[in-house]
Amino acid sequence: MEFYSHMIDGEEVASLSGATFSSFDPHTHQDWAEIALGDGSDADRAVTAARRAFDTGPWPRMGAAERGRILHRLADLIEAHADDLGMADTRDMGKPITQSRGNDVPRTAANFRFFADHARLSTSEAYPMDTGHHAYTRYGPAGVVAAIAPWNFPMMLESWKVAPALAWGNTVVLKPAEDTPVSATLIARLALEAGMPPGVFNVVHGYGPDSAGQALTENPAVDRITFTGESGTGRVIAAAGARNLTPVSLELGGKGANLVFADADLDNAVEWSIRAVFTNSGQVCLAGSRLYVQREIYDEFLARFVAAADAMVVGDPKDEATQIGPLASAEHHAKVAGYVDTITEQGGTLRTGGLGEGWTVRPTVITGMDHKARHAREEIFGPVVVVIPFSTEAEAVELANDTTYGLNAMLFTENLHRAHRVSAALRAGTVWVNCFFVRDLRAPFGGAGDSGIGREGGTFSREFFTEPKAVVMQIDEAADSR
Ligand code: NAD
């Protein structure tokens, strides 16, 4: 088994305690990598290195263009190592290799490229004053950023945080999820190779509570905490941030509604609705796991949707033909299996799917269940969808908005007016019309309610990862100094 250590101050180091843990391959059910198990002292060591690199090192001082060159070199190296990186996430959490290598690697590289260019090309506001003064905004780096990531899109979501933080001149300590540690160490190695100075991008491995994760959120030398994960964890992290008055950005859970209107292009709606809920075996915060279909087309849509779900290939995630791999861990499989086992008890009918071999769950379609049932309200985070009919547009919007989450929604219609009207009425951070998962990195990303606090992406990331400063200058000596 290969050993993956922390990356602190440009060095691959073991934990101070010498402790390790293993990463488990959810398909082979074997340990495949040994990882340094960090605790509070390792997290503090990483923050100290990041603090020093920020306070005295070249990174915040070199300017966005030079940082951008290094971040582009890192993106080049990520693309060149697509096989290793893709396989690391596949072995860590069972994501089909075509998705980890074919989607997550390019999107990781794209995150570094986008934020490198965004920071370099960014403009700031000027405020001409009629008092003989001139004011403008300077966007300076915030300082040390703690980034805490989940396991479902390991390298891609890590880069979504790390790339803007670095591009704006911050230094970073990343704690990847304990189920998916390997790709973070690989990318930290590539960052050094790309020319990033030591201490700028640190990785510390470990768990959350009473471990490296919690220590990062409590360290007063941290200037920003960016977190993606469960809503319950988000509440704990928000409280930890509040104690030090550290700004927190939270990207949390979801229970995406997908509305298919009778005037939709049915082929398109079926294709995207399948992707919306079964991509990454449903382990997606954005999953369209509540599927509302207008009554006029309900039977036809359902027949096509079930047939498409049935046709999906479930199996070994290292096999290029596989579309659905195992769920990420024994614990997570047990949670999803708990929902599958209680479909009838909750009043539903299983139309297709159910538990598969090992830790797989076949694409599972449920009908007949009330919108208030647990399966239709709680984030299952597996390939399980509840299909519910609706009659009117107003009813569809009411059902979609009847949730504590507010991350995203999808709608399928060929009616332009309806598309805009319903998009405006939905309580969600992102609404996809006639598509899913398409991103413009300039657009805001995040959610309302239990789905989080704040937005990231483009200037929204800039707001969070910088400390905006107003500079007011006298430009006319005879200025009125009121
Ligand atoms: P999780 O909350 O269990 O863990 C996420 C990370 O937080 C891990 O690195 C974990 O070690 C760490 N952590 C846990 N407790 C902590 C604590 N007290 N202090 C500091 N760190 C702590 O989430 P998960 O199971 O890894 O991920 C799945 C969840 O993430 C789902 O709810 C999903 O919807 C959500 N998610 C949201 C988005 C989004 O963009 N909104 C994207 C992906 C996943």
Side-chain angles (χ1 to χ4, degrees), residues 407-411 419 422-424 426-433 435:
L407 189 58
N408 68 300
M410 283 68 68
L411 67 107
V422 175
S423 299
L426 289 168
R427 179 173 172 266
T430 300
V431 176
W432 277 292
V433 181
C435 62

Side-chain angles (χ1 to χ4, degrees), residues 147-153 157-158 160-161 175-180 206-218 225 227-237 240 250-255 283-287 332 335 379 381 405 407-408 439 445-447 450-452:
I148 302 177
W151 49 260
N152 61 333
F153 286 88
L157 288 174
E158 287 157 13
W160 175 243
K161 301 177 172 312
K175 196 204 80 64
E178 51 270 33
D179 286 323
T180 52
Y207 302 115
D210 301 320
S211 181
Q214 182 177 330
L216 284 180
T217 64
E218 292 175 348
I225 302 167
F227 168 76
T228 299
E230 285 181 7
S231 303
T233 314
R235 287 190 167 83
V236 174
I237 288 179
L250 302 174
E251 298 194 344
L252 308 177
K255 187 73 184 174
Q283 301 166 122
V284 184
C285 53
L286 305 158
H332 188 54
K335 177 191 153 191
E379 185 181 46
F381 223 56
Y405 293 109
L407 189 58
N408 68 300
R439 294 282 306 281
F445 183 81
D450 287 350
S451 293

Side-chain angles (χ1 to χ4, degrees), residues 21 47 96 108 112 146 152 159 204 252 271 285 301 303 390 448 458:
F21 67 109
V47 171
T108 298
F112 282 105
N152 61 333
S159 62
V204 62
L252 308 177
E271 185 190 330
C285 53
F301 178 90
F390 69 86

Side-chain angles (χ1 to χ4, degrees), residues 173-234:
V173 180
L174 166 67
K175 196 204 80 64
E178 51 270 33
D179 286 323
T180 52
V182 174
S183 56
T185 291
L186 296 179
I187 289 179
R189 285 179 190 163
L190 298 178
L192 285 178
E193 194 180 330
M196 202 170 289
V200 170
F201 177 29
N202 307 277
V203 174
V204 62
H205 294 292
Y207 302 115
D210 301 320
S211 181
Q214 182 177 330
L216 284 180
T217 64
E218 292 175 348
N219 192 320
V222 167
D223 299 292
R224 294 286 186 277
I225 302 167
T226 170
F227 168 76
T228 299
E230 285 181 7
S231 303
T233 314

Side-chain angles (χ1 to χ4, degrees), residues 50-125:
R51 186 79 260 165
R52 192 169 47 240
F54 184 80
D55 290 341
T56 60
W59 188 255
R61 294 162 189 86
M62 67 173 56
E66 182 56 21
R67 285 197 297 268
R69 275 192 280 280
I70 294 172
L71 293 170
H72 273 287
R73 274 204 292 277
L74 172 55
D76 293 341
L77 289 167
I78 287 169
E79 284 162 356
H81 288 80
D83 288 340
D84 302 346
L85 287 166
M87 194 52 86
D89 280 359
T90 288
R91 298 205 72 174
D92 267 349
M93 54 82 60
K95 185 190 296 267
I97 187 68
T98 49
Q99 292 170 30
S100 50
R101 195 184 50 212
N103 175 72
D104 295 13
V105 170
R107 283 177 85 154
T108 298
N111 283 342
F112 282 105
R113 293 194 194 287
F114 169 81
F115 284 108
D117 293 342
H118 186 262
R120 183 173 60 84
L121 298 173
S122 193
T123 56
S124 84
E125 303 81 11

